[in-house]
């Protein structure tokens, strides 16, 4: 079995090649299998990310062993990454517990405190071959342990980026340019601040940028969900064309979770409505897995540009 990859070489190749690696959230076996089978078929490197909520739900040990099992089925590079690590302790526990990459998200803290905590995580992780992502600026929406009201959301200040990157030694940086977590990202027309992204990338040439909250929330998926009893009026995501543009730039990692949740939920709703007599979990989790796999394959091939890069 090959070892977990960290993000170092993958991001260098993605930066130079003008594509992005997909980072997909894992919460159970079916989601993991769908992502890994999609990556395997597309020959795409993958970042499998685990939030605090996922660790609580599925438990750390199970998630690590499930990912190890997945790695027996494929030779594509796989990163096991902590999503939105809240403090040094949770990052340490993932570094010690077999992850190859961690995110320390101290973005809600004052700038100097964010630097201090990020630096502490970087020192601990780098000594153990683990790469680190940090965040500067605040995304709108609800994150694990990071509650930011839309009105308080602030985009990343380019003036802080160079100092942050140099002072912390971090391997990649999540920035806020208008994306947000969940299915309701924009009230009006979708808009991302590409000028800000451009300014930031010029200040730190060659440095990998990360985009969180990058689900597209395709209308077809929302309609499918609603058709079978879901209630998602007004759900709106980041258009695929904007993600293609980001993937060609300094953005090397694009985070997607909501689209997988929508595909899974729409499919399960459909099975329950069309076959109310069904109670074998494999009869709804199996089709849900297929639906997630199709979503991931489309992202890898048609949006992120990372198919064939494994
Ligand atoms: O950042 C948000 C991800 O979608 C993870 O969500 O905290 O509900 O697991 P979660
Ligand atoms: P979405 O909610 O847009 O899928 O974003 C997921 C994410 O950023 C996980 O960190
Ligand atoms: Zn996120």
């Amino acid at each position: 079995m090959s070892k977990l990859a960290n993000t170092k070489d993958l991001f260098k190749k993605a930066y130079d090649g003008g594509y992005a690696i997909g980072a997909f959230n894992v919460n159970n076996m079916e989601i993991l299998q769908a992502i890994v089978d999609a990556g395997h078929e597309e020959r795409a490197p993958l970042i499998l990310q685990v939030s605090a909520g996922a660790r609580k739900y599925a438990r750390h040990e199970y998630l690590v062993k499930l990912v190890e099992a997945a790695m027996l089925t494929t030779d594509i590079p796989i990163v096991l990454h902590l999503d939105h690590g809240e403090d040094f302790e949770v990052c340490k526990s993932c570094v010690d517990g077999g992850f190859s990459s961690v995110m320390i998200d101290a973005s809600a803290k004052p700038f100097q405190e964010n630097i201090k905590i990020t630096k502490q995580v970087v020192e601990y992780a780098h000594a153990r071959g683990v790469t680190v992502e940090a965040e500067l600026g605040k995304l709108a929406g609800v994150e694990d342990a990071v509650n930011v009201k839309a009105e308080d959301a602030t985009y990343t200040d380019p003036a802080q980026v160079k100092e942050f990157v140099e002072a912390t030694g971090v391997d990649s940086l999540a920035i806020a340019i208008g994306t947000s977590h969940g299915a309701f990202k924009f009230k009006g027309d979708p808009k991302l601040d590409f000028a800000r992204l451009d300014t930031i990338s010029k200040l730190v040439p060659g440095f990998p940028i990360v985009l969180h909250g990058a689900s597209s929330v395709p209308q077809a998926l929302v309609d499918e969900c609603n058709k079978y009893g879901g209630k998602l009026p007004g759900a709106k995501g980041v258009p695929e064309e904007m993600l293609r543009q980001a993937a060609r730039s300094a953005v090397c990692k694009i985070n997607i979770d909501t689209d997988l949740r929508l595909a899974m939920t729409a499919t399960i709703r459909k099975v329950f409505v069309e076959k109310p007599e069904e109670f074998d979990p494999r009869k709804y989790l199996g089709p849900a897995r297929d639906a997630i796999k199709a979503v991931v394959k489309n992202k890898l091939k048609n949006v992120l540009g990372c198919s064939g890069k494994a």
Side-chain angles (χ1 to χ4, degrees), residues 63-76:
L63 290 166
V64 170
K65 290 296 173 193
L66 281 171
V67 170
E68 278 177 17
M71 289 176 68
L72 295 172
T73 71
T74 184
D75 58 350
I76 56 168

Side-chain angles (χ1 to χ4, degrees), residues 25 27 49-54 83-84 142-144 181-182 212-213 255-258 261:
N25 289 71
N27 289 280
Q49 55 187 15
V50 167
S51 68
D83 193 23
H84 295 285
V142 179
E143 305 181 5
D144 259 350
H181 294 101
H212 281 246
N255 285 13
I256 297 161
D257 185 16
T258 294
R261 294 179 178 198

Side-chain angles (χ1 to χ4, degrees), residues 190-268:
K191 210 172 138 256
L192 297 189
D193 193 345
F194 280 104
R196 188 178 296 261
L197 169 60
D198 192 49
T199 306
I200 290 170
S201 24
K202 286 194 173 110
L203 288 166
V204 281
F207 184 79
I209 301 296
V210 177
L211 219 51
H212 281 246
S215 277
S216 291
V217 192
Q219 195 55 44
L221 268 186
V222 174
D223 291 345
E224 186 80 353
C225 232
N226 289 341
K227 185 172 158 193
Y228 297 102
K231 284 199 173 69
L232 296 164
K236 206 183 286 180
V238 184
E240 288 188 349
E241 192 42 46
M242 288 189 189
L243 296 172
R244 281 186 204 102
Q245 188 181 339
R248 285 191 297 268
S249 76
V251 171
C252 295
K253 172 175 181 272
I254 293 193
N255 285 13
I256 297 161
D257 185 16
T258 294
D259 285 351
L260 277 53
R261 294 179 178 198
L262 286 171
M264 183 166 204
T265 303
T267 307
I268 292 173

Side-chain angles (χ1 to χ4, degrees), residues 145-187:
V146 184
N147 279 301
V148 187
K149 277 198 192 141
E151 313 89 70
D152 298 335
T154 50
Y155 288 2
T156 305
D157 179 359
Q160 294 185 329
V161 170
K162 199 169 186 310
E163 182 186 344
F164 187 89
V165 167
E166 284 173 359
T168 59
V170 77
D171 301 285
S172 60
L173 185 68
I175 61 166
I177 56 165
T179 63
S180 61
H181 294 101
F184 301 87
K185 300 188 192 295
F186 303 99
K187 289 215 172 73

